[in-house]
PDB file of all heavy atoms in Angstrom:
ATOM      1  N   ILE A   1     -11.409 -10.109  18.416  1.00 92.00           N
ATOM      2  CA  ILE A   1     -12.562 -10.252  19.267  1.00 92.00           C
ATOM      3  C   ILE A   1     -12.885 -11.825  19.174  1.00 92.00           C
ATOM      4  O   ILE A   1     -13.545 -12.369  18.368  1.00 92.00           O
ATOM      5  CB  ILE A   1     -13.738  -9.521  18.576  1.00 92.00           C
ATOM      6  CG1 ILE A   1     -13.381  -8.114  18.448  1.00 92.00           C
ATOM      7  CG2 ILE A   1     -15.088  -9.670  19.523  1.00 92.00           C
ATOM      8  CD1 ILE A   1     -14.527  -7.179  17.908  1.00 92.00           C
ATOM      9  N   ASP A   2     -12.376 -12.415  20.265  1.00 90.00           N
ATOM     10  CA  ASP A   2     -12.339 -13.936  20.415  1.00 90.00           C
ATOM     11  C   ASP A   2     -13.752 -14.442  20.453  1.00 90.00           C
ATOM     12  O   ASP A   2     -13.996 -15.584  19.737  1.00 90.00           O
ATOM     13  CB  ASP A   2     -11.632 -14.325  21.646  1.00 90.00           C
ATOM     14  CG  ASP A   2     -10.147 -13.982  21.655  1.00 90.00           C
ATOM     15  OD1 ASP A   2      -9.589 -13.891  20.451  1.00 90.00           O
ATOM     16  OD2 ASP A   2      -9.529 -13.846  22.592  1.00 90.00           O
ATOM     17  N   PRO A   3     -14.776 -13.915  21.079  1.00 88.00           N
ATOM     18  CA  PRO A   3     -16.062 -14.607  21.010  1.00 88.00           C
ATOM     19  C   PRO A   3     -16.670 -14.817  19.678  1.00 88.00           C
ATOM     20  O   PRO A   3     -17.517 -15.767  19.507  1.00 88.00           O
ATOM     21  CB  PRO A   3     -16.982 -13.615  21.931  1.00 88.00           C
ATOM     22  CG  PRO A   3     -16.017 -12.900  22.756  1.00 88.00           C
ATOM     23  CD  PRO A   3     -14.717 -12.710  21.910  1.00 88.00           C
ATOM     24  N   VAL A   4     -16.342 -14.099  18.723  1.00 94.00           N
ATOM     25  CA  VAL A   4     -16.876 -14.236  17.388  1.00 94.00           C
ATOM     26  C   VAL A   4     -15.819 -14.766  16.406  1.00 94.00           C
ATOM     27  O   VAL A   4     -16.007 -14.815  15.154  1.00 94.00           O
ATOM     28  CB  VAL A   4     -17.529 -12.959  16.908  1.00 94.00           C
ATOM     29  CG1 VAL A   4     -18.827 -12.762  17.707  1.00 94.00           C
ATOM     30  CG2 VAL A   4     -16.564 -11.802  16.783  1.00 94.00           C
ATOM     31  N   GLY A   5     -14.643 -15.156  16.922  1.00 93.00           N
ATOM     32  CA  GLY A   5     -13.542 -15.611  16.085  1.00 93.00           C
ATOM     33  C   GLY A   5     -12.914 -14.680  15.090  1.00 93.00           C
ATOM     34  O   GLY A   5     -12.348 -15.047  14.098  1.00 93.00           O
ATOM     35  N   SER A   6     -12.936 -13.363  15.508  1.00 91.00           N
ATOM     36  CA  SER A   6     -12.429 -12.372  14.615  1.00 91.00           C
ATOM     37  C   SER A   6     -10.944 -12.064  14.998  1.00 91.00           C
ATOM     38  O   SER A   6     -10.698 -11.577  16.097  1.00 91.00           O
ATOM     39  CB  SER A   6     -13.270 -11.100  14.704  1.00 91.00           C
ATOM     40  OG  SER A   6     -12.559  -9.915  13.860  1.00 91.00           O
ATOM     41  N   GLY A   7     -10.092 -12.338  14.179  1.00 89.00           N
ATOM     42  CA  GLY A   7      -8.639 -12.310  14.500  1.00 89.00           C
ATOM     43  C   GLY A   7      -8.078 -10.753  14.350  1.00 89.00           C
ATOM     44  O   GLY A   7      -8.712  -9.891  13.684  1.00 89.00           O
ATOM     45  N   GLU A   8      -6.894 -10.577  14.955  1.00 90.00           N
ATOM     46  CA  GLU A   8      -6.358  -9.316  14.776  1.00 90.00           C
ATOM     47  C   GLU A   8      -5.787  -9.027  13.430  1.00 90.00           C
ATOM     48  O   GLU A   8      -5.282 -10.046  12.797  1.00 90.00           O
ATOM     49  CB  GLU A   8      -5.204  -9.057  15.821  1.00 90.00           C
ATOM     50  CG  GLU A   8      -4.605  -7.806  15.790  1.00 90.00           C
ATOM     51  CD  GLU A   8      -3.501  -7.582  16.964  1.00 90.00           C
ATOM     52  OE1 GLU A   8      -3.276  -8.547  17.641  1.00 90.00           O
ATOM     53  OE2 GLU A   8      -3.021  -6.449  17.085  1.00 90.00           O
ATOM     54  N   SER A   9      -5.902  -7.791  12.835  1.00 89.00           N
ATOM     55  CA  SER A   9      -5.309  -7.555  11.593  1.00 89.00           C
ATOM     56  C   SER A   9      -4.366  -6.300  11.760  1.00 89.00           C
ATOM     57  O   SER A   9      -4.524  -5.534  12.710  1.00 89.00           O
ATOM     58  CB  SER A   9      -6.386  -7.218  10.540  1.00 89.00           C
ATOM     59  OG  SER A   9      -7.134  -6.104  10.904  1.00 89.00           O
ATOM     60  N   THR A  10      -3.469  -6.098  10.823  1.00 92.00           N
ATOM     61  CA  THR A  10      -2.497  -5.002  10.762  1.00 92.00           C
ATOM     62  C   THR A  10      -2.751  -4.236   9.602  1.00 92.00           C
ATOM     63  O   THR A  10      -2.720  -4.735   8.364  1.00 92.00           O
ATOM     64  CB  THR A  10      -1.104  -5.505  10.918  1.00 92.00           C
ATOM     65  OG1 THR A  10      -0.969  -6.244  12.087  1.00 92.00           O
ATOM     66  CG2 THR A  10      -0.080  -4.350  10.929  1.00 92.00           C
ATOM     67  N   ASP A  11      -2.760  -2.805   9.714  1.00 93.00           N
ATOM     68  CA  ASP A  11      -2.954  -2.008   8.583  1.00 93.00           C
ATOM     69  C   ASP A  11      -1.668  -1.131   8.565  1.00 93.00           C
ATOM     70  O   ASP A  11      -1.033  -0.769   9.571  1.00 93.00           O
ATOM     71  CB  ASP A  11      -4.230  -1.000   8.651  1.00 93.00           C
ATOM     72  CG  ASP A  11      -5.487  -1.874   8.703  1.00 93.00           C
ATOM     73  OD1 ASP A  11      -5.555  -2.897   8.204  1.00 93.00           O
ATOM     74  OD2 ASP A  11      -6.443  -1.400   9.456  1.00 93.00           O
ATOM     75  N   ALA A  12      -1.410  -0.633   7.238  1.00 93.00           N
ATOM     76  CA  ALA A  12      -0.267   0.185   7.128  1.00 93.00           C
ATOM     77  C   ALA A  12      -0.547   1.469   6.226  1.00 93.00           C
ATOM     78  O   ALA A  12      -1.602   1.413   5.476  1.00 93.00           O
ATOM     79  CB  ALA A  12       0.848  -0.376   6.383  1.00 93.00           C
ATOM     80  N   ASP A  13       0.157   2.489   6.423  1.00 91.00           N
ATOM     81  CA  ASP A  13      -0.174   3.790   5.715  1.00 91.00           C
ATOM     82  C   ASP A  13       0.258   3.662   4.299  1.00 91.00           C
ATOM     83  O   ASP A  13       0.908   2.677   3.953  1.00 91.00           O
ATOM     84  CB  ASP A  13       0.603   4.966   6.390  1.00 91.00           C
ATOM     85  CG  ASP A  13      -0.223   6.182   6.250  1.00 91.00           C
ATOM     86  OD1 ASP A  13      -0.984   6.336   5.503  1.00 91.00           O
ATOM     87  OD2 ASP A  13       0.170   7.098   7.043  1.00 91.00           O
ATOM     88  N   GLY A  14      -0.047   4.604   3.416  1.00 87.00           N
ATOM     89  CA  GLY A  14       0.315   4.716   2.082  1.00 87.00           C
ATOM     90  C   GLY A  14       0.234   6.082   1.634  1.00 87.00           C
ATOM     91  O   GLY A  14       0.497   7.016   2.483  1.00 87.00           O
ATOM     92  N   PRO A  15      -0.019   6.374   0.338  1.00 92.00           N
ATOM     93  CA  PRO A  15      -0.524   5.354  -0.667  1.00 92.00           C
ATOM     94  C   PRO A  15       0.604   4.968  -1.529  1.00 92.00           C
ATOM     95  O   PRO A  15       0.327   4.044  -2.421  1.00 92.00           O
ATOM     96  CB  PRO A  15      -1.516   6.215  -1.395  1.00 92.00           C
ATOM     97  CG  PRO A  15      -0.967   7.658  -1.409  1.00 92.00           C
ATOM     98  CD  PRO A  15      -0.349   7.766  -0.116  1.00 92.00           C
ATOM     99  N   SER A  16       1.761   5.556  -1.533  1.00 92.00           N
ATOM    100  CA  SER A  16       2.898   5.088  -2.435  1.00 92.00           C
ATOM    101  C   SER A  16       3.728   3.846  -1.851  1.00 92.00           C
ATOM    102  O   SER A  16       4.926   3.963  -1.585  1.00 92.00           O
ATOM    103  CB  SER A  16       3.824   6.138  -2.826  1.00 92.00           C
ATOM    104  OG  SER A  16       3.153   7.216  -3.388  1.00 92.00           O
ATOM    105  N   GLY A  17       3.028   2.838  -1.625  1.00 92.00           N
ATOM    106  CA  GLY A  17       3.506   1.652  -1.018  1.00 92.00           C
ATOM    107  C   GLY A  17       3.212   1.661   0.516  1.00 92.00           C
ATOM    108  O   GLY A  17       2.419   2.427   0.948  1.00 92.00           O
ATOM    109  N   LEU A  18       3.671   0.568   1.078  1.00 94.00           N
ATOM    110  CA  LEU A  18       3.342   0.258   2.533  1.00 94.00           C
ATOM    111  C   LEU A  18       4.379   0.941   3.457  1.00 94.00           C
ATOM    112  O   LEU A  18       5.560   0.750   3.202  1.00 94.00           O
ATOM    113  CB  LEU A  18       3.298  -1.289   2.714  1.00 94.00           C
ATOM    114  CG  LEU A  18       2.168  -1.905   2.056  1.00 94.00           C
ATOM    115  CD1 LEU A  18       2.417  -3.544   2.092  1.00 94.00           C
ATOM    116  CD2 LEU A  18       0.856  -1.587   2.378  1.00 94.00           C
ATOM    117  N   SER A  19       3.924   1.515   4.475  1.00 90.00           N
ATOM    118  CA  SER A  19       4.795   2.172   5.459  1.00 90.00           C
ATOM    119  C   SER A  19       4.181   2.207   6.841  1.00 90.00           C
ATOM    120  O   SER A  19       2.916   2.373   6.909  1.00 90.00           O
ATOM    121  CB  SER A  19       5.181   3.718   5.089  1.00 90.00           C
ATOM    122  OG  SER A  19       3.972   4.474   5.018  1.00 90.00           O
ATOM    123  N   SER A  20       4.871   1.882   7.884  1.00 85.00           N
ATOM    124  CA  SER A  20       4.372   1.860   9.076  1.00 85.00           C
ATOM    125  C   SER A  20       5.069   2.962  10.015  1.00 85.00           C
ATOM    126  O   SER A  20       6.131   3.248  10.041  1.00 85.00           O
ATOM    127  CB  SER A  20       4.786   0.559   9.749  1.00 85.00           C
ATOM    128  OG  SER A  20       4.384   0.456  11.235  1.00 85.00           O
ATOM    129  N   ASN A  21       4.099   3.685  10.860  1.00 79.00           N
ATOM    130  CA  ASN A  21       4.585   4.699  11.594  1.00 79.00           C
ATOM    131  C   ASN A  21       5.110   4.160  13.047  1.00 79.00           C
ATOM    132  O   ASN A  21       5.499   4.883  13.885  1.00 79.00           O
ATOM    133  CB  ASN A  21       3.422   5.648  11.914  1.00 79.00           C
ATOM    134  CG  ASN A  21       2.937   6.458  10.728  1.00 79.00           C
ATOM    135  OD1 ASN A  21       3.771   6.647   9.848  1.00 79.00           O
ATOM    136  ND2 ASN A  21       1.646   6.653  10.709  1.00 79.00           N
ATOM    137  N   PHE A  22       4.818   2.872  13.268  1.00 80.00           N
ATOM    138  CA  PHE A  22       5.235   2.241  14.542  1.00 80.00           C
ATOM    139  C   PHE A  22       6.200   1.137  14.533  1.00 80.00           C
ATOM    140  O   PHE A  22       6.765   0.772  15.579  1.00 80.00           O
ATOM    141  CB  PHE A  22       3.847   1.757  15.101  1.00 80.00           C
ATOM    142  CG  PHE A  22       2.796   2.592  15.070  1.00 80.00           C
ATOM    143  CD1 PHE A  22       1.736   2.545  14.101  1.00 80.00           C
ATOM    144  CD2 PHE A  22       2.648   3.693  15.940  1.00 80.00           C
ATOM    145  CE1 PHE A  22       0.690   3.378  14.036  1.00 80.00           C
ATOM    146  CE2 PHE A  22       1.561   4.645  15.848  1.00 80.00           C
ATOM    147  CZ  PHE A  22       0.541   4.427  15.048  1.00 80.00           C
ATOM    148  N   ASN A  23       6.478   0.530  13.352  1.00 80.00           N
ATOM    149  CA  ASN A  23       7.318  -0.575  13.199  1.00 80.00           C
ATOM    150  C   ASN A  23       8.250  -0.279  11.972  1.00 80.00           C
ATOM    151  O   ASN A  23       7.829  -0.591  10.867  1.00 80.00           O
ATOM    152  CB  ASN A  23       6.633  -1.925  13.116  1.00 80.00           C
ATOM    153  CG  ASN A  23       7.496  -3.098  13.197  1.00 80.00           C
ATOM    154  OD1 ASN A  23       8.752  -3.034  12.947  1.00 80.00           O
ATOM    155  ND2 ASN A  23       6.988  -4.217  13.667  1.00 80.00           N
ATOM    156  N   ALA A  24       9.530  -0.017  12.221  1.00 80.00           N
ATOM    157  CA  ALA A  24      10.451   0.298  11.150  1.00 80.00           C
ATOM    158  C   ALA A  24      10.619  -0.840  10.213  1.00 80.00           C
ATOM    159  O   ALA A  24      10.993  -0.686   8.989  1.00 80.00           O
ATOM    160  CB  ALA A  24      11.726   0.814  11.728  1.00 80.00           C
ATOM    161  N   SER A  25      10.466  -2.143  10.718  1.00 82.00           N
ATOM    162  CA  SER A  25      10.713  -3.268   9.825  1.00 82.00           C
ATOM    163  C   SER A  25       9.535  -3.486   9.000  1.00 82.00           C
ATOM    164  O   SER A  25       9.619  -4.403   8.064  1.00 82.00           O
ATOM    165  CB  SER A  25      11.012  -4.539  10.675  1.00 82.00           C
ATOM    166  OG  SER A  25       9.874  -4.836  11.564  1.00 82.00           O
ATOM    167  N   MET A  26       8.347  -3.022   9.188  1.00 85.00           N
ATOM    168  CA  MET A  26       7.158  -3.256   8.366  1.00 85.00           C
ATOM    169  C   MET A  26       6.990  -2.169   7.279  1.00 85.00           C
ATOM    170  O   MET A  26       6.071  -1.468   7.220  1.00 85.00           O
ATOM    171  CB  MET A  26       5.860  -3.293   9.306  1.00 85.00           C
ATOM    172  CG  MET A  26       6.068  -4.470  10.210  1.00 85.00           C
ATOM    173  SD  MET A  26       4.604  -4.668  11.269  1.00 85.00           S
ATOM    174  CE  MET A  26       3.201  -5.006  10.077  1.00 85.00           C
ATOM    175  N   LYS A  27       7.938  -2.077   6.399  1.00 89.00           N
ATOM    176  CA  LYS A  27       7.826  -1.042   5.393  1.00 89.00           C
ATOM    177  C   LYS A  27       8.195  -1.809   4.099  1.00 89.00           C
ATOM    178  O   LYS A  27       9.163  -2.585   3.933  1.00 89.00           O
ATOM    179  CB  LYS A  27       8.887   0.072   5.646  1.00 89.00           C
ATOM    180  CG  LYS A  27       8.566   0.930   6.706  1.00 89.00           C
ATOM    181  CD  LYS A  27       9.333   2.213   6.723  1.00 89.00           C
ATOM    182  CE  LYS A  27       8.886   3.165   7.823  1.00 89.00           C
ATOM    183  NZ  LYS A  27       9.688   4.478   7.945  1.00 89.00           N
ATOM    184  N   GLY A  28       7.354  -1.354   3.038  1.00 92.00           N
ATOM    185  CA  GLY A  28       7.545  -2.070   1.770  1.00 92.00           C
ATOM    186  C   GLY A  28       8.345  -1.055   0.826  1.00 92.00           C
ATOM    187  O   GLY A  28       8.955  -0.098   1.277  1.00 92.00           O
ATOM    188  N   THR A  29       8.167  -1.374  -0.515  1.00 94.00           N
ATOM    189  CA  THR A  29       8.832  -0.561  -1.466  1.00 94.00           C
ATOM    190  C   THR A  29       8.241   0.860  -1.457  1.00 94.00           C
ATOM    191  O   THR A  29       6.993   1.022  -1.494  1.00 94.00           O
ATOM    192  CB  THR A  29       8.755  -1.247  -2.866  1.00 94.00           C
ATOM    193  OG1 THR A  29       9.343  -2.507  -2.734  1.00 94.00           O
ATOM    194  CG2 THR A  29       9.445  -0.359  -3.895  1.00 94.00           C
ATOM    195  N   ALA A  30       9.076   1.957  -1.653  1.00 93.00           N
ATOM    196  CA  ALA A  30       8.514   3.279  -1.899  1.00 93.00           C
ATOM    197  C   ALA A  30       8.410   3.462  -3.320  1.00 93.00           C
ATOM    198  O   ALA A  30       9.380   3.764  -4.077  1.00 93.00           O
ATOM    199  CB  ALA A  30       9.565   4.286  -1.272  1.00 93.00           C
ATOM    200  N   PHE A  31       7.183   3.367  -3.851  1.00 94.00           N
ATOM    201  CA  PHE A  31       6.963   3.471  -5.222  1.00 94.00           C
ATOM    202  C   PHE A  31       6.846   4.940  -5.667  1.00 94.00           C
ATOM    203  O   PHE A  31       6.631   5.801  -4.830  1.00 94.00           O
ATOM    204  CB  PHE A  31       5.645   2.782  -5.610  1.00 94.00           C
ATOM    205  CG  PHE A  31       5.689   1.265  -5.453  1.00 94.00           C
ATOM    206  CD1 PHE A  31       5.184   0.510  -4.398  1.00 94.00           C
ATOM    207  CD2 PHE A  31       6.334   0.538  -6.442  1.00 94.00           C
ATOM    208  CE1 PHE A  31       5.209  -0.761  -4.246  1.00 94.00           C
ATOM    209  CE2 PHE A  31       6.444  -0.811  -6.339  1.00 94.00           C
ATOM    210  CZ  PHE A  31       5.851  -1.528  -5.327  1.00 94.00           C
ATOM    211  N   PRO A  32       6.946   5.276  -6.964  1.00 93.00           N
ATOM    212  CA  PRO A  32       6.617   6.611  -7.466  1.00 93.00           C
ATOM    213  C   PRO A  32       5.303   7.044  -7.027  1.00 93.00           C
ATOM    214  O   PRO A  32       4.395   6.194  -6.825  1.00 93.00           O
ATOM    215  CB  PRO A  32       6.824   6.410  -8.950  1.00 93.00           C
ATOM    216  CG  PRO A  32       7.734   5.302  -9.178  1.00 93.00           C
ATOM    217  CD  PRO A  32       7.358   4.366  -8.077  1.00 93.00           C
ATOM    218  N   PRO A  33       5.180   8.430  -6.909  1.00 92.00           N
ATOM    219  CA  PRO A  33       3.784   8.893  -6.476  1.00 92.00           C
ATOM    220  C   PRO A  33       2.672   8.543  -7.511  1.00 92.00           C
ATOM    221  O   PRO A  33       2.942   8.384  -8.720  1.00 92.00           O
ATOM    222  CB  PRO A  33       3.962  10.387  -6.199  1.00 92.00           C
ATOM    223  CG  PRO A  33       5.205  10.631  -7.189  1.00 92.00           C
ATOM    224  CD  PRO A  33       6.081   9.443  -7.053  1.00 92.00           C
ATOM    225  N   ALA A  34       1.501   8.756  -7.080  1.00 95.00           N
ATOM    226  CA  ALA A  34       0.312   8.433  -7.984  1.00 95.00           C
ATOM    227  C   ALA A  34       0.355   9.321  -9.198  1.00 95.00           C
ATOM    228  O   ALA A  34      -0.102   8.940 -10.366  1.00 95.00           O
ATOM    229  CB  ALA A  34      -0.976   8.646  -7.208  1.00 95.00           C
ATOM    230  N   VAL A  35       0.702  10.631  -9.176  1.00 94.00           N
ATOM    231  CA  VAL A  35       0.710  11.461 -10.288  1.00 94.00           C
ATOM    232  C   VAL A  35       1.641  10.957 -11.376  1.00 94.00           C
ATOM    233  O   VAL A  35       1.419  11.092 -12.657  1.00 94.00           O
ATOM    234  CB  VAL A  35       0.961  12.945  -9.944  1.00 94.00           C
ATOM    235  CG1 VAL A  35       2.438  12.949  -9.378  1.00 94.00           C
ATOM    236  CG2 VAL A  35       0.742  13.820 -11.147  1.00 94.00           C
ATOM    237  N   MET A  36       2.699  10.359 -11.013  1.00 95.00           N
ATOM    238  CA  MET A  36       3.648   9.769 -12.036  1.00 95.00           C
ATOM    239  C   MET A  36       3.070   8.440 -12.660  1.00 95.00           C
ATOM    240  O   MET A  36       3.105   8.297 -13.842  1.00 95.00           O
ATOM    241  CB  MET A  36       5.007   9.445 -11.341  1.00 95.00           C
ATOM    242  CG  MET A  36       6.054   8.904 -12.414  1.00 95.00           C
ATOM    243  SD  MET A  36       7.709   8.690 -11.690  1.00 95.00           S
ATOM    244  CE  MET A  36       8.103  10.426 -11.465  1.00 95.00           C
ATOM    245  N   ILE A  37       2.407   7.625 -11.856  1.00 95.00           N
ATOM    246  CA  ILE A  37       1.707   6.500 -12.475  1.00 95.00           C
ATOM    247  C   ILE A  37       0.650   6.885 -13.275  1.00 95.00           C
ATOM    248  O   ILE A  37       0.468   6.364 -14.471  1.00 95.00           O
ATOM    249  CB  ILE A  37       1.051   5.674 -11.264  1.00 95.00           C
ATOM    250  CG1 ILE A  37       2.209   5.184 -10.348  1.00 95.00           C
ATOM    251  CG2 ILE A  37       0.218   4.473 -11.802  1.00 95.00           C
ATOM    252  CD1 ILE A  37       3.164   4.189 -10.973  1.00 95.00           C
ATOM    253  N   ALA A  38      -0.240   7.922 -12.970  1.00 96.00           N
ATOM    254  CA  ALA A  38      -1.217   8.405 -13.839  1.00 96.00           C
ATOM    255  C   ALA A  38      -0.700   8.942 -15.087  1.00 96.00           C
ATOM    256  O   ALA A  38      -1.287   8.875 -16.243  1.00 96.00           O
ATOM    257  CB  ALA A  38      -2.133   9.454 -13.217  1.00 96.00           C
ATOM    258  N   SER A  39       0.506   9.545 -15.109  1.00 96.00           N
ATOM    259  CA  SER A  39       1.041  10.113 -16.275  1.00 96.00           C
ATOM    260  C   SER A  39       1.498   9.110 -17.377  1.00 96.00           C
ATOM    261  O   SER A  39       1.754   9.431 -18.506  1.00 96.00           O
ATOM    262  CB  SER A  39       2.358  11.002 -15.935  1.00 96.00           C
ATOM    263  OG  SER A  39       1.870  12.058 -15.035  1.00 96.00           O
ATOM    264  N   THR A  40       1.609   7.848 -16.917  1.00 95.00           N
ATOM    265  CA  THR A  40       1.976   6.784 -17.896  1.00 95.00           C
ATOM    266  C   THR A  40       0.730   6.300 -18.783  1.00 95.00           C
ATOM    267  O   THR A  40       0.848   5.781 -19.759  1.00 95.00           O
ATOM    268  CB  THR A  40       2.421   5.542 -17.249  1.00 95.00           C
ATOM    269  OG1 THR A  40       1.429   5.046 -16.447  1.00 95.00           O
ATOM    270  CG2 THR A  40       3.574   5.930 -16.308  1.00 95.00           C
ATOM    271  N   TRP A  41      -0.551   6.655 -18.233  1.00 95.00           N
ATOM    272  CA  TRP A  41      -1.793   6.280 -18.940  1.00 95.00           C
ATOM    273  C   TRP A  41      -1.755   4.763 -19.159  1.00 95.00           C
ATOM    274  O   TRP A  41      -2.097   4.216 -20.105  1.00 95.00           O
ATOM    275  CB  TRP A  41      -1.971   7.043 -20.346  1.00 95.00           C
ATOM    276  CG  TRP A  41      -2.201   8.410 -20.070  1.00 95.00           C
ATOM    277  CD1 TRP A  41      -1.348   9.360 -19.690  1.00 95.00           C
ATOM    278  CD2 TRP A  41      -3.437   9.028 -20.169  1.00 95.00           C
ATOM    279  NE1 TRP A  41      -1.839  10.703 -19.701  1.00 95.00           N
ATOM    280  CE2 TRP A  41      -3.199  10.485 -19.912  1.00 95.00           C
ATOM    281  CE3 TRP A  41      -4.784   8.753 -20.508  1.00 95.00           C
ATOM    282  CZ2 TRP A  41      -4.297  11.381 -20.035  1.00 95.00           C
ATOM    283  CZ3 TRP A  41      -5.810   9.629 -20.560  1.00 95.00           C
ATOM    284  CH2 TRP A  41      -5.526  10.979 -20.323  1.00 95.00           C
ATOM    285  N   ASN A  42      -1.140   3.997 -18.241  1.00 96.00           N
ATOM    286  CA  ASN A  42      -0.995   2.567 -18.311  1.00 96.00           C
ATOM    287  C   ASN A  42      -1.623   1.836 -17.245  1.00 96.00           C
ATOM    288  O   ASN A  42      -1.134   1.716 -16.172  1.00 96.00           O
ATOM    289  CB  ASN A  42       0.623   2.290 -18.410  1.00 96.00           C
ATOM    290  CG  ASN A  42       0.832   0.849 -18.756  1.00 96.00           C
ATOM    291  OD1 ASN A  42       0.144  -0.114 -18.546  1.00 96.00           O
ATOM    292  ND2 ASN A  42       2.048   0.641 -19.331  1.00 96.00           N
ATOM    293  N   LYS A  43      -2.879   1.303 -17.608  1.00 96.00           N
ATOM    294  CA  LYS A  43      -3.676   0.575 -16.541  1.00 96.00           C
ATOM    295  C   LYS A  43      -2.903  -0.636 -16.075  1.00 96.00           C
ATOM    296  O   LYS A  43      -3.029  -0.959 -14.848  1.00 96.00           O
ATOM    297  CB  LYS A  43      -4.979   0.235 -17.189  1.00 96.00           C
ATOM    298  CG  LYS A  43      -5.807   1.374 -17.623  1.00 96.00           C
ATOM    299  CD  LYS A  43      -7.076   0.887 -18.293  1.00 96.00           C
ATOM    300  CE  LYS A  43      -7.887   2.012 -18.926  1.00 96.00           C
ATOM    301  NZ  LYS A  43      -9.090   1.476 -19.701  1.00 96.00           N
ATOM    302  N   ASP A  44      -2.256  -1.414 -16.937  1.00 96.00           N
ATOM    303  CA  ASP A  44      -1.598  -2.573 -16.545  1.00 96.00           C
ATOM    304  C   ASP A  44      -0.501  -2.269 -15.598  1.00 96.00           C
ATOM    305  O   ASP A  44      -0.267  -3.075 -14.641  1.00 96.00           O
ATOM    306  CB  ASP A  44      -1.001  -3.263 -17.813  1.00 96.00           C
ATOM    307  CG  ASP A  44      -2.019  -3.891 -18.726  1.00 96.00           C
ATOM    308  OD1 ASP A  44      -3.141  -4.117 -18.216  1.00 96.00           O
ATOM    309  OD2 ASP A  44      -1.800  -3.983 -19.993  1.00 96.00           O
ATOM    310  N   LEU A  45       0.227  -1.205 -15.730  1.00 96.00           N
ATOM    311  CA  LEU A  45       1.342  -0.759 -14.856  1.00 96.00           C
ATOM    312  C   LEU A  45       0.748  -0.427 -13.617  1.00 96.00           C
ATOM    313  O   LEU A  45       1.345  -0.897 -12.513  1.00 96.00           O
ATOM    314  CB  LEU A  45       2.060   0.374 -15.473  1.00 96.00           C
ATOM    315  CG  LEU A  45       3.307   0.884 -14.608  1.00 96.00           C
ATOM    316  CD1 LEU A  45       4.304  -0.252 -14.700  1.00 96.00           C
ATOM    317  CD2 LEU A  45       3.947   2.134 -15.331  1.00 96.00           C
ATOM    318  N   ALA A  46      -0.455   0.299 -13.496  1.00 97.00           N
ATOM    319  CA  ALA A  46      -1.066   0.587 -12.134  1.00 97.00           C
ATOM    320  C   ALA A  46      -1.575  -0.785 -11.546  1.00 97.00           C
ATOM    321  O   ALA A  46      -1.341  -0.789 -10.265  1.00 97.00           O
ATOM    322  CB  ALA A  46      -2.215   1.489 -12.444  1.00 97.00           C
ATOM    323  N   ARG A  47      -2.075  -1.658 -12.216  1.00 97.00           N
ATOM    324  CA  ARG A  47      -2.430  -2.962 -11.654  1.00 97.00           C
ATOM    325  C   ARG A  47      -1.256  -3.753 -11.027  1.00 97.00           C
ATOM    326  O   ARG A  47      -1.474  -4.302  -9.952  1.00 97.00           O
ATOM    327  CB  ARG A  47      -3.148  -3.739 -12.669  1.00 97.00           C
ATOM    328  CG  ARG A  47      -3.941  -5.017 -12.081  1.00 97.00           C
ATOM    329  CD  ARG A  47      -4.649  -5.751 -13.098  1.00 97.00           C
ATOM    330  NE  ARG A  47      -5.469  -6.759 -12.502  1.00 97.00           N
ATOM    331  CZ  ARG A  47      -6.823  -6.770 -12.416  1.00 97.00           C
ATOM    332  NH1 ARG A  47      -7.381  -5.674 -12.878  1.00 97.00           N
ATOM    333  NH2 ARG A  47      -7.433  -7.767 -11.852  1.00 97.00           N
ATOM    334  N   GLN A  48      -0.196  -3.710 -11.752  1.00 97.00           N
ATOM    335  CA  GLN A  48       1.040  -4.280 -11.312  1.00 97.00           C
ATOM    336  C   GLN A  48       1.501  -3.685  -9.957  1.00 97.00           C
ATOM    337  O   GLN A  48       2.067  -4.446  -8.989  1.00 97.00           O
ATOM    338  CB  GLN A  48       2.155  -4.235 -12.380  1.00 97.00           C
ATOM    339  CG  GLN A  48       2.004  -4.958 -13.636  1.00 97.00           C
ATOM    340  CD  GLN A  48       3.052  -4.795 -14.607  1.00 97.00           C
ATOM    341  OE1 GLN A  48       4.169  -4.563 -14.304  1.00 97.00           O
ATOM    342  NE2 GLN A  48       2.565  -4.857 -15.954  1.00 97.00           N
TER     343      GLN A  48
END
């Protein structure tokens, strides 16, 4: 929105990493699902 200087941003789906439904090149690492992360009881790992 140019009149207020608000630039365009891009969002991606999740939650197990970044994935795009529209651009095949805009995909990140496919991480283990949340239930596996929770099973570690490791807050530091979740933060990483």
